[in-house]
Amino acid sequence: MRQLPLGLGPQEVPTFDNYAVGPNRAAVEHLCGLNGQHAPAPVYLWGEPGTGKTHLLRALAHEVASLGGRVGWFDHTGGPSEFDEGWRLVVFDSCERYGPADQHRAFATFVQATTHGQLIAAAGRWPPVDLPLREDLRTRLGWGPVFQLLPLSEAECRAVLRQAADRRGVFLSDEVMSYLQTRFSRDLGSLMSMLDRLDRFALATQRAVTIPLLKQMLAEEGAPVAQGEFR
């Protein structure tokens, strides 16, 4: 009988300190300086999945909350039902996924947040001009600084993955690392998710993390064993 691993504890809270900066230092430095300003221009982050857009928005929200500020968070799954004048920060995440009702509510909230001098931070997969949104919302999202988040280089990604494995007490050999980076999605978010699954599977089977273990995990999950199809 396979031993089921206990939970690995609460997930690490996204902060600026645990974000792998890579080529995105300008965006991080700008966000770090926002909380001390009064009613700065809205900031918008865009980039491919896995570049850390939501991580940085949550890091900003965490910083605001740690200083006693309240945060209103909106994404395609919903958000607070009413506007709160007491918010210090209003966040609009996954903007490219907003439907007509979301767009209407986001626009109204954006206008109110601006009127009350609240911080505004938003993110989406594409730059504001390319978002499939109503024009008045698009123009407001692009009103202030806009930062494109770029993925980490292969070497940077490898270093972050190694550090994450070390924190978990997982030995990730160069062979396993290369296999992951060459046969699966290379964005850091996907690789960290794979590491989490591998860690849990290794605990459950009481085996070291190896390529055969990875293949076994994928087979039991019903996923295809990588043969270059994830390149």
Side-chain angles (χ1 to χ4, degrees):
M1 179 180 295
R2 175 174 300 168
Q3 176 184 346
L4 296 177
L6 297 175
L8 298 179
Q11 289 190 336
E12 194 173 34
V13 175
T15 67
F16 293 123
D17 288 337
N18 61 30
Y19 176 73
V21 176
N24 302 309
R25 183 166 301 280
V28 175
E29 289 179 348
H30 181 83
L31 290 171
C32 285
L34 277 181
N35 200 26
Q37 299 181 34
H38 174 68
V43 59
Y44 180 85
L45 310 174
W46 70 276
E48 292 298 314
T51 50
K53 302 182 294 296
T54 300
H55 182 117
L56 288 177
L57 292 180
R58 292 198 178 280
L60 179 60
H62 175 72
E63 182 176 278
V64 168
S66 69
L67 296 175
R70 299 207 302 275
V71 179
W73 186 284
F74 292 81
D75 57 28
H76 66 287
T77 65
S81 57
E82 295 182 359
F83 180 82
D84 186 341
E85 295 182 8
W87 286 332
R88 169 60 177 156
L89 167 69
V90 183
V91 173
F92 301 93
D93 195 16
S94 304
C95 292
E96 77 281 358
R97 303 179 68 179
Y98 288 3
D102 302 319
Q103 294 176 47
H104 177 78
R105 193 156 62 103
F107 176 77
T109 301
F110 198 109
V111 172
Q112 289 176 294
T114 303
T115 301
H116 288 86
Q118 296 169 337
L119 301 176
I120 299 175
R125 183 166 183 173
W126 302 295
V129 68
D130 293 331
L131 291 171
L133 305 176
R134 46 191 275 184
E135 179 65 20
D136 52 5
L137 180 56
R138 275 206 317 268
T139 55
R140 279 167 173 76
L141 289 172
W143 166 33
V146 174
F147 294 94
Q148 179 184 9
L149 297 186
L150 300 173
L152 300 179
S153 68
E154 184 173 322
E156 290 169 331
C157 194
R158 197 179 186 98
V160 172
L161 200 61
R162 177 81 71 194
Q163 291 170 2
D166 289 345
R167 286 197 300 270
R168 293 166 176 265
V170 175
F171 174 67
L172 211 56
S173 69
D174 290 338
E175 183 183 28
V176 172
M177 186 87 73
S178 296
Y179 190 89
L180 288 172
Q181 287 192 299
T182 57
R183 289 173 172 80
F184 298 92
S185 178
R186 297 186 184 185
D187 71 83
L188 187 58
S190 296
L191 288 171
M192 293 294 285
S193 177
M194 179 67 77
L195 175 62
D196 181 65
R197 289 155 57 197
L198 269 172
D199 187 15
R200 291 178 181 273
F201 194 75
L203 284 173
T205 57
Q206 299 184 340
R207 293 166 55 194
V209 173
T210 61
I211 292 176
L213 181 76
L214 170 58
K215 291 181 177 180
Q216 180 184 342
M217 182 189 76
L218 293 173
E220 294 194 13
E221 289 178 349
V225 175
Q227 294 293 340
E229 64 269 29
F230 294 102
R231 290 178 186 271

